[in-house]
Structures are given as C-alpha cells and as structure tokens.
C-alpha cells in the first residue's frame, strides 16, 4: 500500500513511526512496524560473489571483477547464441527509476527483446482488462478516499485486511457513512468478516458470477441505458454472450445460492457502487476476462453525471503500478507505450538516440521466458533484479530445473534469496531506506522515498550497477548512476505518453504529498490528475468498451485422483517469497512455517488432526506442511500461503496455465489432494 512512514535514528538505534499521509493516515501494519529489522541486518550481502563452477561455493570478489566477468559472459553468450539469448527479469518492487533503467538497459545495452518481470504474476490481468475496457490502466481511477463515499463496494478476490491493512480505515468510514461492503472469496477471511454479504464461491468461478450478475441486471431492468448509450460501445454483444442464467446455474458454477446473487445485484445497481479486485480473481487463466466481466457489470450500472467509480484494482507490490509503466514488460516501452506501435517506437528511439531497427521488438513473457531456457530459441543467461522467482513462479520444481540449466545466472538482491543461491554471480543491492527514488501507488500517485540510512559497505544501488554494466557493454553514456538524473530522463521520455510524468518533479512530490499521473506540465501546479473518466474514457472516441466474455471453467478441474480445489495467497506477517520477512524475528514468531487450511468436515473424513504434518500434492509436486482446521474455508477447497521455501513451497503444486491475453499464470486454482504423512 506504500504507507507514509518516518524513520528516526538516535543513539538507541532505529525507530519508526507511521506518517499522517493521505493514504494510510497514520496506519501501518506489522510489516511496516518491523521493517527496521532489515536495516543493518547481519545477513545482508556486502560483496559481489562469484561461483566459478556449478555446485561450487561462492567467492567474494571486487565489484570490478564481478562486473567484468558478467559483461564478458553476456558478450560471449550473445555472440554465440544471438542477442535474445540473454534475458532480464525485473520486479514490481523496484523504483520507477530502476524499472525505467532496467528496461532501457535490456533494449539499448544488451539489445535483447527478452525482458519481463514479476508483475506478470501480479498485475498483468487487471492491466490488460483496464486497457481494453477503459483505454488506460491505472489501478484506481480515483483517490483512495473515494472508497468511503461509495454506496456499495464489491470486493472480489482481495483479502485487504491482511494484505493492505491500513486501507481498512476507508472501509470503516464507508460503513459509518451507511455504505455496504460485499466480499467474494472462497474463504471467510478477516476481510470477509468485515462484509455485509460474503459470497463464498468456488475458486475460479468469478467470471460465471459476473455474467450472472449482468444477466440479472438486464432481466430485472436495473441497467443505466442512458450511460450505456452515450458513454460505451459493445453492450449488446456482451449482454448476449452473458446470456440468460438457467435455473441452478449459479449454484452449479459458483457453489452459492442464486437468491444471494440477486440481492447483491440489486444492492449494487441501486446506488453509486464501486468494483475492486485483487489477485484472488485475477490470477487465473481467465483473469483478464474475469475483470472485463465485472467491468461490464460496472459499466451497465453506469450512473452518468455522477463521479465515475466503476472498477479499480488493488495493486500489489511496493511499486506495482509504476513498475508496470516504464518498460520492464516484454511488450512495452516507457510511459506505457507499446513496443510494437510504430509511433511509440519512433518516439522512444528518438529519445534514446538509437536507430529504429536497433530497438528490439516484443520479447517473451515471464513464464515463457523461463520455459524457453534450454529450448532452441531460448535464453541461455538471465539477470534477475527484484524477484525471487524460484519460490514465486508456478510449477516451481520445473522452474528450478530450468534455472539450474542456465549458462549464466546473475542475481541482484539484498539477501541470499533462494534464487541467489543458484546464481553464478550475486550482486549486492541497496534497499529501500538506503537510496532515494520514486514509486507509484495504486491511485497513480507518484511518491518519493528518501534516503534515511547508510548502506552496508559493498552494497550498490541497482542504478549504479546498471550504469556500470552498460559501460562495459559500450553504452555507459546512456545511463545514470543516480535516481534524480534518471527521473529527469524518465520525465522527458514519457511526455505525451499515456502515463505522462513530464510535469512531475521531486520537489512537486514533496509539496503535494505525491502527484498523480497523467501529469503534463500544465497539470503540475495542481498535483496531476486525481480522477479519471469523469467525462470521457481513454479510448480515442472517449467511450468505454464492453467485452463479450464466457466462463469455461478452470485449466484443471478436480477429479477422482485430485479431488479438491487448491488455492494460494498471503498472510499478514509474511511478504511474498519471504526473502525479507522470513528474516524478521517478530514476523516469524507469528508465521514462521508453512501450513495448509482445510475444513473440519474434510479433515474428519481423512482422519487429519489440527497441527499434524500432512502431504498436499498435485500433478506437479507435493508439499509437507502443518494442517490447520478452520470452518472459514469451503470443504472442497484447500488454501496455502506461498511465502515459504523447501517442503513448504506452495508453488511446487501450482499449474503454469496462462491467461491467453495477459499471460498471467493460474496461481489461484488447481486440482490437489491431501493425505496423512507416513500412512
Ligand atoms: N502481508 C502481505 N501483504 C501483501 C503481500 C504479501 O505477500 N504479504 N503481497 C502484496 C502483493 S505483491 C499483492 S499482489 C497483494 C495481493 O493481495 P490479495 O489479492 O488481497 O492477496 P491474496 O492472498 O493473494 O488473495 C486474496 C484472496 O483471494 C482469495 N481467492 C483465492 N481464489 C479465489 C478465487 O478464485 N476467486 C476469488 N474471488 N477469490 C479467491 C484467497 O482466499 C485470498 O483470501 O498483496 C500485497 N500485500
Ligand atoms: N502460488 C502463488 N504464487 C505467487 C502469488 C500467489 O498469490 N500465489 N503471487 C504472485 C505475485 S502477485 C507476486 S508480486 C510475486 C512476488 O514474488 P517475487 O517476484 O519473488 O517477489 P519478492 O518476494 O518480493 O522478491 C523480491 C526480491 O527482490 C529483493 N529486493 C527487494 N528490493 C530490491 C531492490 O531494490 N533491488 C534488488 N535488486 N532486489 C530487491 C528481495 O530481497 C527479494 O529477494 O509472486 C507471485 N507468486
Ligand atoms: Mo503481487
């Protein structure tokens, strides 16, 4: 959520306080409060490491030696196997400046098409749907405070009470104002417990629910015909494909009661409602269509003339929004330009001073990039920055095998992550509090992180590393080791682009408590554009677009052998692949080891007791974790957090089925079974 916070250093050490910032307003979660444990952490990487042979041990070397080695290997591999044989894997936690520099580094210094990032696992479906329906992808088209002013909020696939706790205050305010909250989740999460209505659907059935709601709204004459006629295209077709629900459809597809869905639909169409999603609904092989399905409902709800709340997505990582705007994506250039659009290409090539045919085209998406290792046109070398992909990628066993077969793996990280352990070269990075840079939050608000702490001797800013490597590839003069100069270039390059940062400055960010993109020069004074779509959408004709979408089930349905739905997600006290939070004592005290949640009825049937170690397996792998019995989960569904390594790594089970539009993997459902260990 990118809460505002202040760090203080006195003779007693570090202390932290939550800032009264417009988004978190003095709130912060456990991860924020304990984050100072990561400053001066004894396990920080402090020197570049090289491993000269696979399976050998790491040797600390000088930066010069490490960088010379990496550059010479990149050059050798590219001259043997072609430019695209070197890949780059970025992260949504990197600052805007790093994301920009890394994308430029891939295209200009390495001249490879193959760069993608972990946002492919995170925001890709919501982004693709927003672009198609609205013409632009900004997490929320309104500032967070608008949540409190809605009549009803429909939250599908988000457990925000655990994943962005300080946002809960806006929902509390919503309810104080008489607003209602509806939550869609297969589990009765802390978030679902805040809701007026909880729709406890089967995993992977959100799209069926969306279409059912559209059908009900049409059937019961609830839709806003004027809004549809004046501000949208494509309604008829979407309505026709959504069809009419047959008796028993909702129960069959979603596992819930039809009357409940009718009531919710009426509630939503009555007032000024808001649809918000997160990964629960998006991380599916039909994630993009699911989001488009709910945007269809939001558009049919209309409410022309009032604030347009419509749909928004609750962004994930530290820079989940900005990280997807500046060119880490395989099909994208800075400012949310498209790499295959001839005009966009020409603009960027011009700024970068490279010829148009030198600028690579679209590369492989994250999953295909990793899969391509060892294939004829695949990558042979990979540089990761800001992702621990052997823990967080689907079908992790296979990914690990692929990674191990690379000719060269270079990892930039703060700690010896599970991915870094497999590297040939590890490059130690500075972390959040040790360097400045900007991030963009889910509201499209560009924020600045200031430097507050000294980095350990030996760690370098990623920007410095990018520039130093570019220099060794003969392109040093095109990169800058510092954030401010890099941001100045980013501003110039994004001028006139969809994500226009040209009016944003470090000074302006301080002055306005963050500035909203799009922010051309003339908007700089009032801090950028807070609310989008009030009069027009971002498509050339100003209209939003309905999309005909159809539910066809999941990539893998439960069967006799693997009879249960297996879904994954997060817990409050751990973050992502755990590289950082698994190193914080206070957090491990709360959530130190992996577990699986199952319903007591299922446990009774299988003679499983609370607290015992069980085996959960799918067609791809197995984990052995602690069983936690809870009636907060559907009896046909298992849930495991994905933060853990080894025997507890949930991604050993997940299926690498991809959404055909966004290339998002289906992290949120596959077929699995659970059994006692040792019987
Ligand atoms: N504590 C903590 N906070 C985090 C993170 C973290 O790792 N730890 N990560 C950050 C990041 S990068 C992200 S992307 C966000 C993610 O934030 P969320 O999306 O809120 O987190 P998840 O736990 O992945 O998924 C949310 C819910 O989806 C439900 N779900 C599973 N399958 C389905 C389904 O088919 N349909 C529906 N409707 N729901 C389903 C799960 O039961 C879960 O409760 O959190 C951010 N905040
Ligand atoms: N089964 C399952 N799998 C999932 C998900 C799920 O819900 N279920 N969610 C997916 C989602 S939404 C996400 S976002 C991914 C996240 O998973 P990952 O991509 O693995 O992200 P992190 O764990 O945040 O890894 C970031 C790494 O970069 C390091 N790091 C942090 N800051 C910096 C920096 O400034 N520079 C450098 N060089 N390194 C830095 C950290 O120490 C850490 O090792 O996981 C995905 N995987
Ligand atoms: Mo994410």
């Amino acid at each position: 959520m990118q809460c505002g916070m202040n760090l203080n250093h006195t003779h007693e050490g570090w202390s932290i306080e939550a800032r009264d910032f417009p988004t978190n307003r003095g709130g912060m979660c456990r991860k924020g409060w304990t984050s100072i444990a990561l400053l001066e952490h004894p396990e920080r990487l402090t020197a570049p490491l090289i491993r000269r042979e696979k399976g050998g041990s790491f040797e600390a070397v000088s930066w010069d030696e490490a960088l010379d080695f990496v550059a010479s290997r990149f050059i050798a591999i590219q001259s043997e196997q072609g430019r695209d044989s070197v890949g780059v894997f970025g992260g949504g936690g990197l600052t805007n400046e790093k994301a920009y520099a890394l994308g430029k580094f891939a295209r200009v210094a390495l001249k490879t098409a193959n760069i993608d990032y972990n946002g492919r696992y995170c925001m890709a479906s919501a982004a693709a749907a927003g672009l198609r329906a609205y013409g632009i992808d900004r997490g929320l088209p309104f500032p967070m405070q608008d949540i409190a002013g809605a009549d009803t909020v429909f939250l599908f696939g988000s457990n925000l009470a655990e994943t962005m706790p300080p946002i809960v205050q806006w929902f509390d305010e919503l309810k104080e104002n008489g607003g209602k909250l509806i939550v869609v989740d297969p589990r009765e999460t802390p978030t679902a417990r805040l809701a007026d209505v909880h729709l406890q659907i089967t995993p992977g059935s959100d799209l069926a629910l969306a279409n059912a709601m559209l059908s009900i709204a049409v059937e019961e004459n609830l839709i806003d015909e004027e809004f549809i006629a004046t501000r949208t295209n494509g309604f008829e077709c979407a309505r026709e494909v959504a069809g009419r629900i047959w008796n028993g459809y909702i129960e069959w597809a979603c596992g819930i009661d039809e009357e409940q869905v009718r009531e919710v639909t009426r509630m939503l169409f009555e007032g000024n409602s808001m649809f918000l999603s997160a990964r629960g609904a998006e991380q599916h092989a039909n994630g993009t269509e699911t989001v488009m399905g709910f945007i269809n409902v939001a558009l049919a709800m209309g409410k022309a003339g009032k604030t347009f709340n419509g749909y928004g997505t609750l962004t994930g990582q530290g820079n989940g929004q900005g990280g997807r705007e500046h060119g880490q994506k395989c099909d994208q250039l800075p400012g949310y330009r498209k790499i295959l659009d001839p005009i966009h290409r020409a603009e960027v090539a011009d700024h970068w001073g490279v010829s148009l045919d030198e600028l690579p085209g679209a590369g492989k998406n994250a999953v295909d990039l990793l899969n391509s290792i060892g294939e004829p046109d695949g990558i042979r070398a990979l540089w990761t920055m800001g992702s621990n992909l052997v823990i967080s990628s689907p079908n992790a066993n296979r990914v690990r095998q692929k990674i191990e077969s690379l000719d060269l793996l270079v990892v930039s990280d703060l700690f010896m992550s599970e991915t870094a352990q497999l590297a040939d070269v590890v490059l130690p990075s500075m972390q959040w509090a040790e360097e400045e840079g900007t991030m963009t939050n889910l509201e499209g608000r560009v924020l600045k992180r200031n430097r507050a702490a000294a980095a350990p001797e030996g760690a370098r800013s990623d920007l410095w590393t990018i520039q130093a490597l570019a220099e060794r590839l003969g392109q040093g003069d095109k990169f800058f080791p510092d954030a401010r100069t890099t941001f100045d270039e980013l501003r110039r390059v994004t001028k006139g682009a969809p994500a226009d940062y040209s009016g944003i400055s470090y000074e302006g960010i301080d002055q306005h408590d963050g500035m909203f993109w799009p922010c051309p020069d003339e908007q700089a004074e009032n801090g950028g554009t807070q609310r989008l779509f009030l009069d027009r959408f971002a498509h050339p004709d100003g209209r939003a677009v309905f999309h005909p979408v159809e539910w066809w089930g999941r990539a893998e349905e439960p069967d006799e052998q693997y009879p249960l739905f297996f879904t994954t997600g997060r817990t409050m006290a751990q973050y992502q692949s755990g590289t950082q939070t698994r190193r914080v004592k206070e957090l491990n005290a709360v959530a130190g080891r992996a577990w699986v949640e199952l319903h007591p009825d299922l446990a009774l049937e299988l003679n499983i007791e609370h607290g015992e170690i069980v085996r959960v397996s799918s067609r791809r792998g197995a984990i052995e974790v602690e069983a936690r019995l809870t009636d907060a989960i559907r009896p046909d569904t298992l849930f495991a957090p994905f933060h853990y390594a080894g025997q507890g790594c949930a991604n050993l089970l997940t299926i690498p089925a991809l959404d055909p539009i966004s290339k998002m993997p289906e992290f949120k459902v596959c077929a699995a079974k659970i059994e006692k260990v040792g019987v």
Side-chain angles (χ1 to χ4, degrees), residues 116-134:
D116 211 43
Y117 82 126
N118 69 3
R120 185 69 62 193
Y121 298 164
C122 183
M123 300 312 303
S125 288
L131 275 177
R132 278 168 175 72
Y134 291 155

Side-chain angles (χ1 to χ4, degrees), residues 31 159 163 185 187 204 206 279 570 572 574 576 668:
K31 293 189 276 79
N159 182 14
T163 54
D185 197 304
R187 299 186 302 143
D206 301 72
R279 304 310 81 74
R570 292 160 168 81
M572 160 100 88
Q574 291 291 354
Q576 315 272 62
K668 286 293 193 267

Side-chain angles (χ1 to χ4, degrees), residues 46-50 52 59-71 425-428 457-460 464-465 468-469 472:
T46 55
L49 305 170
I50 292 187
R52 302 201 190 266
E59 183 188 320
V61 297
S62 70
W63 270 97
D64 272 336
E65 183 177 351
L67 294 170
D68 288 346
F69 178 79
V70 172
V425 184
V426 180
L427 302 173
E457 182 76 31
R460 296 279 188 277
W464 181 90
T465 308
L469 261 180
R472 286 163 172 80

Side-chain angles (χ1 to χ4, degrees), residues 188 200 598-600 629-634:
E188 193 194 324
Q200 197 165 5
L598 74 160
H599 194 276
L629 274 53
T630 166
D631 54 17
I633 193 163
R634 295 178 56 92

